[in-house]
């Protein structure tokens, strides 16, 4: 029998984003207050999930606001940093989602980790060396701010997987190509945030282009495994069927956790039988990441994944016969991808973002969402 005390997972109910500022304070109080983690003069690195240019896909901005202000109240110096999803351009994603405006309003730096220095660490086969954002090691405190969601490749994403955003894209590419689940387990051996606060207010059925579902909770704690185990339960997933959670548990077979605070409603466990579509999708993505390894070497670090996602994944498509050339879509496109005279969307520009703003703005329904596994 293990004498190890169970990890603590704090939970508070949140009806909507407007309640986050007050409820985040209650969450931190349950954990003993932020002052036990942040001391005057500390540099505090905050890692949200800004994976894609959609509000429901990213960490709630009011949670980020509260944590930033709480860090400042402790005398700390907060710094935000992120690298977006592999198929998206980080700078454009941060711009479209409003992260740069958020950071400016809070008067703190926002780092595009793709352009920041990396520290090289010894790795293990088959992943090779690991390249981790230098800010992780330069900061005195690392606070992880994930978004709780389901995920097409890993079943769920939360505390453990959110650390992928501090990895160089070459490291992520190799992990996805060989075994993304073992890669998540490995990086969580190398990096342990001092504190994790999870946004579970609105979740998605997939990491980016899924359907939004209200869950209405914030979670917090110091143990990423415990948080994700409880996160699985909140999503109706059997943790034993979530491979990266299972791999991390292998190194901590006696680990247990207890919850404090509010008691949320727990859904029935979903069927664990994987559909043929999901199996095919995962196999295709595994093959795509494997092919991307030699491609990126030949192309100086460029990736084929943005184009692949554009060709077979979710994307906007302009239906020329419906287009009246009103021009409403042109100014809302962040990447100038709409050729109105030709009534087409330019793949080379759209592929790095696929924000679908043009779909929402078109008064003639002349731009539709196309692709395999599109939302809705």
């Amino acid at each position: 029998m293990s004498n190890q005390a169970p990890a603590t997972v704090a939970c508070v109910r949140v009806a909507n984003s407007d309640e986050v500022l007050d409820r985040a304070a209650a969450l931190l109080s349950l954990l003993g207050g932020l002052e036990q983690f942040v001391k005057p003069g500390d540099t505090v690195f905050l890692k949200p999930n800004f994976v894609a240019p959609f509000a429901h896909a990213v960490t709630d901005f009011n949670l980020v606001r509260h944590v930033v202000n709480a860090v400042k109240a402790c005398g700390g110096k907060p710094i935000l940093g992120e690298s977006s999803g592999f198929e998206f351009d980080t700078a454009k994603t941060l711009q479209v989602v409003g992260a740069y405006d958020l950071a400016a309003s809070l008067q703190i730096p926002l780092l595009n980790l793709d352009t920041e220095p990396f520290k090289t660490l010894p790795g293990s086969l088959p992943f090779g060396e690991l390249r981790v954002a230098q800010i992780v090691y330069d900061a005195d405190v690392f606070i992880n701010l994930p978004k709780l969601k389901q995920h097409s490749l890993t079943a769920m994403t939360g505390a453990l997987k959110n650390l992928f955003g501090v990895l160089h894209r070459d490291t992520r590419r190799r992990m996805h190509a060989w075994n993304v689940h073992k890669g998540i387990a490995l990086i969580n051996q190398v990096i342990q945030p001092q504190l994790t606060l999870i946004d579970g207010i609105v979740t998605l059925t997939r990491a980016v282009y899924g359907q939004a579902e209200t869950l209405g909770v914030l979670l917090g704690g110091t143990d990423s495994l415990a948080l994700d185990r409880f996160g699985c339960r909140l999503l109706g997933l059997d943790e034993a069927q979530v491979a990266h959670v299972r791999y991390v548990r292998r190194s901590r077979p006696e680990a247990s956790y207890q919850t404090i605070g509010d008691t949320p409603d727990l859904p029935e466990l979903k069927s664990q039988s994987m559909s043929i579509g999901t199996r095919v999708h995962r196999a295709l993505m595994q093959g795509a990441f494997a092919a991307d390894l030699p491609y990126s070497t030949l192309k100086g670090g460029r990736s084929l994944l943005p184009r692949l996602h554009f060709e077979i994944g979710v994307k906007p498509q302009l239906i020329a016969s419906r287009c009246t050339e009103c021009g409403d879509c042109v100014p809302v496109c962040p990447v100038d991808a709409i050729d109105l005279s030709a009534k087409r969307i330019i793949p080379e520009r759209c592929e790095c973002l696929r924000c679908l703003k043009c779909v929402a703005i078109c008064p003639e329904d002349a731009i539709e969402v196309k692709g395999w596994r599109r939302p809705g």
Side-chain angles (χ1 to χ4, degrees), residues 197-356:
L197 305 174
I198 299 181
D199 167 14
I201 306 164
V202 176
T203 69
L204 292 178
T205 55
R206 285 154 56 198
V208 176
Y209 295 105
Q211 294 180 336
E213 298 178 345
T214 298
L215 186 58
V217 297
L218 296 175
L219 306 179
T222 60
D223 189 307
S224 296
L225 173 61
L227 286 161
D228 275 9
R229 291 177 67 189
F230 189 57
C232 285
R233 189 65 191 86
L234 289 173
L235 293 173
L237 301 174
D238 179 356
E239 65 174 73
Q241 302 298 319
V242 180
H244 63 274
V245 172
R246 189 171 68 247
Y247 283 130
V248 175
R249 284 208 69 189
R250 285 182 182 175
S251 62
R252 299 170 54 193
E254 302 300 323
S256 61
Y257 69 91
Q258 62 182 0
T259 60
I260 60 173
D262 296 335
T263 303
D265 298 327
L266 297 178
E268 293 184 5
L269 294 181
K270 297 180 175 70
S271 171
Q272 297 300 305
S273 59
M274 193 182 304
S275 69
I276 294 176
T278 297
R279 291 178 186 275
V280 171
H281 177 262
R282 292 184 180 182
L284 285 174
M285 291 311 303
Q286 181 81 17
F289 276 104
D292 203 37
L293 284 173
Y295 181 91
S296 64
T297 300
L298 292 172
K299 298 294 184 178
R302 288 176 55 196
S303 173
L304 60 77
L305 293 174
R307 175 50 64 92
L308 179 65
H309 277 273
F310 185 86
E311 293 299 333
I312 67 172
V314 173
K315 62 179 179 292
Q317 180 173 303
L318 197 156
I319 311 301
S321 60
R322 299 181 196 165
C323 178
T324 62
E325 300 184 48
C326 69
D328 287 2
C329 57
V330 174
V332 303
C333 180
V335 290
D336 194 24
I338 299 174
D339 183 347
L340 202 59
S341 62
K343 296 186 178 183
R344 64 185 289 264
I345 293 172
I346 304 169
E348 293 78 10
R349 297 180 183 176
C350 182
E351 65 186 26
C352 67
L353 202 60
R354 295 182 294 132
C355 66
L356 306 182

Side-chain angles (χ1 to χ4, degrees), residues 101-167:
D101 292 337
L102 173 68
S105 71
L106 294 170
Q107 298 182 314
I108 62 171
L110 170 58
L111 306 181
N112 174 350
L113 297 184
D114 293 342
T115 62
E116 293 293 314
F118 287 84
K119 181 174 181 177
T120 301
L121 305 174
S124 60
L125 294 176
F127 302 124
E129 65 185 20
L130 306 177
R131 297 176 67 187
V132 180
Q134 184 66 44
I135 185 62
V136 172
Y137 300 93
D138 290 344
D140 301 296
V141 181
F142 178 12
I143 299 179
N144 193 18
L145 300 173
K147 175 87 172 179
L148 181 63
K149 298 177 289 186
Q150 296 184 61
H151 195 280
S152 297
L153 292 180
T154 61
M156 65 88 71
T157 175
L160 295 168
K161 190 177 182 300
N162 200 48
L163 296 191
F164 257 37
V166 304
L167 300 178

